[in-house]
Amino acid sequence: MSPRYGTRFADTGATATLLRITTTTGSGAARIVHLNGQVDQDQRLRLESALERAVADRPPRLVVDLAGLGFCDSTGLNALLKTRIAARAAGLPLVLAAPTSQTRRLLEITGADEVFTIYDSVRAALADTAAHTE
C-alpha cells in the first residue's frame, strides 16, 4: 500500500502528509499559498478550492509556493493552469515559487514552464513584487 493511503513507513513510523495548504500575506500584501505534501487526484478538490479562494480575494499578487511539494501529478498541474486562467481574467498576477525538482520537471515536460512566471524562491517573487510597485 502506498503512503497516499496513509500507510505508515516502516523505518520512521511516520504517516505521509497528503497535502497541507496554508496561506500567508507577504510584502506588498501579496497572498502566498504554501503547498506541502503531495498533490494527486485525492487532493484535487481541496487544492482547487484553496486556489479559487485566493483568486477571489483579489490580492495585488498571488504567489504559489511549491517548495514543500514532494509529489505533484497532472491533477496539481491542471489546478495551477485553471488558477492561471482565473487569475488572468481577474487581472491578478500569478507566479509560482520554489518548485521542487519533480514539480519543475513536470512543468518543463508539459511546457507549462513557458506560461508561468517561476521564481527560485518566495523571497525572489516578493522582491520582484516590491520592485514593480515602487
Side-chain angles (χ1 to χ4, degrees):
M1 199 177 258
S2 74
R4 148 181 168 165
Y5 297 106
T7 303
R8 298 178 74 77
F9 292 106
D11 59 333
T12 64
T15 301
T17 302
L18 296 181
L19 181 63
R20 189 174 78 236
I21 305 167
T22 55
T23 304
T24 59
T25 302
S27 65
R31 178 73 42 89
I32 308 162
V33 178
H34 306 272
L35 305 179
N36 291 282
Q38 301 179 36
V39 176
D40 60 18
Q41 182 61 31
D42 294 340
Q43 303 300 313
R44 180 180 63 83
L45 293 176
R46 288 184 57 236
L47 176 59
E48 287 178 353
S49 178
L51 293 172
E52 286 169 5
R53 280 191 310 271
V55 170
D57 288 345
R58 294 187 181 264
R61 179 176 251 199
L62 179 57
V63 178
V64 181
D65 176 13
L66 305 172
L69 281 185
F71 177 78
C72 182
D73 68 4
S74 62
T75 303
L77 177 60
N78 285 332
L80 292 172
L81 290 167
K82 183 178 173 181
T83 301
R84 179 183 172 274
I85 292 167
R88 184 171 222 172
L92 170 65
L94 167 68
V95 301
L96 306 181
T100 60
S101 59
Q102 186 271 325
T103 304
R104 184 174 292 278
R105 179 75 176 130
L106 176 66
L107 294 168
E108 289 170 355
I109 64 173
T110 60
D113 63 329
E114 298 294 324
V115 299
F116 285 106
T117 301
I118 304 171
Y119 291 90
D120 288 335
S121 68
V122 170
R123 178 177 282 176
L126 294 176
D128 193 48
T129 300
H132 284 91
T133 58
E134 294 176 353

